[in-house]
Amino acid sequence: MKSIHEPKDLAINGAPPAFEQPLHVGRPNIGSREAFLKHVENIFEHRWLSNNGPLMQELEQRVADHHNVKHCVAMCNGTLALEIAIRALGLEGEVIVPSFTFIATAHALHWQAITPVFADIDPATHNLDPAAVRRMITPRTSGIIGVHLWGRGAPVDELQAVADDHGLKLMFDAAHAFGCSYKGKMIGNFGACEVLSFHATKFFNTFEGGAIVTNNDELAETARLMRNFGFAAIDEVVHPGTNGKMIEVAAAMGLVNLDALDSVIAANRCNQQAYREALAGLPGISLLSHDESERNNYQYVVMEVGEKCPVSRDRIIEALHAENIRARKYFWPGCHRMQPYRELFPHAGMLLPNTQRVADRVVVLPTGTTIDNDAISDVAAVIRVLVNG
Ligand code: T4K
């Protein structure tokens, strides 16, 4: 790996890329391979591959304990968990969501013939602005889905107040917030339920996976029925349902990754600090920070390119990609500017000025257990060379 010091060294100027192998956002964090392979041997030995298997049950218990919540209902992925949660809660008509989120939040509604109505965000936190949510309520509104973006808690209390004032249901997309807290209480305990994602790129992964976490017994029971075709017992279907089951090999991955959480947090935290130091003092460049009084997983390094920066966000992305650094523009351009929402709501952007501004500024940088301080220095050097001209 070479270090970049001069503008002429940038790959966009014809030099070879800084990294021979791509440096990815979302490189999976993987715990003990040995322990995982041992689980796999056991799975083969017992020939129990899916359908409420023992490893999945153990994982559910440990995830629930980790979040101090009564129920964890594991699923095959976070999107299906969102769909099931939405259906189990009985949402219908219109549901208010941020547009500045991964497309799955909106699609999980649209897929079930529910209209996602996009509300604006607070540009300082990137999370829903409760006042904007209030403005989007109509007689057809049945609920609100808050997103704890980047793992930082949405304004839960204020959103709950809006929901209570208007008789709406509130749930959270907590795909980024595994192991995080809000006002000292673990994520998983807010709204009617919360949905975690255990996708490969997440802080905690089960290859693919997700879960509904809730303290509501009835909701958990309904979600359990729905994920297994509505079966209450052999030959007894009591509810409409689908196939949302988590397989045993995925649960095995989850169990070994649960054992590695502390080391992932330590690596992520160290990376955040390294980026902060390496990018300090650059005009118009800032990094989103974490509230150290809360529990954080530090999974996303979110850089913002402000007006004072002499180069554009897209120019920075172009230069990083040329160096084989696969930084991302999450969640550009915002759900409302993607299909089918762009066509369904062509004027939605008029009510989403903060969403559009933030979406045009963000760069998510590579982090996780596979990146070291030298690599971070090189990533920062590319940005520094560009910004300082
Ligand atoms: N709600 C929110 C707020 C979410 O962010 C997500 C998922 C969901 C709901 C839905 O949960 P799931 O149904 O996914 O459980 C990625 C993830 O696929 C997606 O799970 C995640 N959010 C989103 C933020 O990021 P893409 O389209 O960016 O994926 P892709 O294929 O471009 O991969 C991202 C980077 O990670 C690439 O640089 C390659 C690298 N990567 C990826 C995988 C899968 C690896 O290095 N190894 C891998 O195995 O969506």
Side-chain angles (χ1 to χ4, degrees):
M1 207 182 297
K2 73 183 175 66
S3 265
I4 297 142
H5 298 295
E6 300 294 332
K8 62 178 160 46
D9 284 332
L10 286 179
I12 42 174
N13 297 331
F19 294 92
E20 274 168 26
Q21 296 298 321
L23 208 62
H24 287 284
V25 168
R27 208 79 180 139
N29 300 315
I30 301 173
S32 161
R33 290 178 195 202
E34 211 185 357
F36 172 72
L37 293 173
K38 224 168 168 178
H39 278 304
V40 175
E41 280 298 334
N42 272 329
I43 291 169
F44 288 148
E45 189 65 28
H46 293 104
R47 288 184 186 254
W48 197 276
L49 307 187
S50 184
N51 291 23
N52 207 28
L55 297 182
M56 190 212 68
Q57 290 186 38
E58 186 184 341
L59 181 76
E60 288 188 334
Q61 189 58 54
R62 285 185 61 188
V63 170
D65 291 347
H66 192 78
H67 293 87
N68 267 328
V69 65
K70 211 163 161 191
H71 303 282
C72 168
V73 186
M75 306 269 177
C76 55
N77 61 59
T79 304
L80 211 94
L82 275 174
E83 287 171 14
I84 288 182
I86 287 163
R87 211 171 176 111
L89 262 184
L91 297 183
E92 59 186 354
E94 295 175 358
V95 171
I96 299 172
V97 289
S99 170
F100 194 59
T101 177
F102 189 59
I103 196 72
T105 320
H107 277 357
L109 292 162
H110 182 265
W111 199 249
Q112 314 194 63
I114 300 167
T115 307
V117 172
F118 300 114
D120 211 3
I121 53 166
D122 175 342
T125 65
H126 298 188
N127 276 319
L128 269 181
D129 169 6
V133 171
R134 233 178 245 282
R135 287 197 291 274
M136 303 312 287
I137 295 171
T138 74
R140 292 190 70 225
T141 310
S142 67
I144 303 165
I145 304 180
V147 180
H148 305 301
L149 208 78
W150 317 127
R152 306 188 322 163
V156 169
D157 295 340
E158 293 84 347
L159 291 174
Q160 190 63 62
V162 176
D164 292 345
D165 287 351
H166 294 269
L168 305 176
K169 289 173 178 157
L170 173 66
M171 59 172 272
F172 290 95
D173 176 339
H176 299 180
F178 190 106
C180 299
S181 68
Y182 172 80
K183 294 193 178 171
K185 202 168 170 180
M186 290 304 284
I187 293 298
N189 289 278
F190 302 109
C193 66
E194 307 207 48
V195 171
L196 300 167
S197 164
F198 307 152
H199 182 258
T201 57
K202 293 294 187 294
F203 164 68
F204 165 79
N205 85 82
T206 60
F207 296 105
E208 287 269 3
I212 297 173
V213 277
T214 180
N215 289 311
N216 183 322
D217 298 343
E218 206 182 316
L219 192 64
E221 187 48 34
T222 306
R224 283 206 171 90
L225 287 172
M226 284 180 161
R227 86 169 161 193
N228 188 26
F229 314 102
F231 274 108
I234 290 177
D235 301 333
E236 191 192 352
V237 172
V238 297
H239 211 284
T242 182
N243 184 353
K245 290 175 273 120
M246 174 180 276
I247 59 173
E248 285 293 270
V249 77
M253 181 69 151
L255 290 173
V256 302
N257 285 342
L258 275 180
D259 290 335
L261 290 184
D262 289 346
S263 60
V264 178
I265 290 179
N268 282 349
R269 197 172 186 178
C270 180
N271 294 345
Q272 293 270 352
Q273 189 54 28
Y275 271 118
R276 196 164 292 286
E277 285 166 17
L279 295 170
L282 288 181
I285 297 289
S286 57
L287 283 187
L288 227 62
S289 61
H290 293 86
D291 179 348
E292 293 297 334
S293 69
E294 300 288 0
R295 288 187 62 174
N296 298 297
N297 59 34
Y298 304 97
Q299 177 71 1
Y300 292 97
V301 178
V302 183
M303 182 176 92
E304 283 191 67
V305 182
E307 280 94 38
K308 292 203 174 113
C309 184
V311 283
S312 70
R313 186 275 303 269
D314 287 358
R315 179 73 174 147
I316 292 176
I317 287 277
E318 184 194 13
L320 290 171
H321 285 193
E323 302 290 356
N324 241 342
I325 302 160
R326 305 279 165 84
R328 298 294 294 260
K329 298 197 271 188
Y330 291 139
F331 289 101
W332 184 84
C335 296
H336 70 288
R337 294 193 282 194
M338 290 174 148
Q339 293 294 29
Y341 314 109
R342 191 175 64 201
E343 214 162 286
L344 289 172
F345 318 116
H347 306 300
M350 290 171 72
L351 293 171
L352 302 167
N354 293 333
T355 299
Q356 299 200 158
R357 198 151 53 89
V358 171
D360 287 345
R361 296 162 64 118
V362 165
V363 178
V364 176
L365 296 167
T367 182
T369 47
T370 58
I371 188 168
D372 58 18
N373 276 2
D374 286 347
I376 290 174
S377 298
D378 281 356
V379 174
V382 176
I383 299 169
R384 205 167 342 104
V385 162
L386 267 180
V387 173
N388 288 337

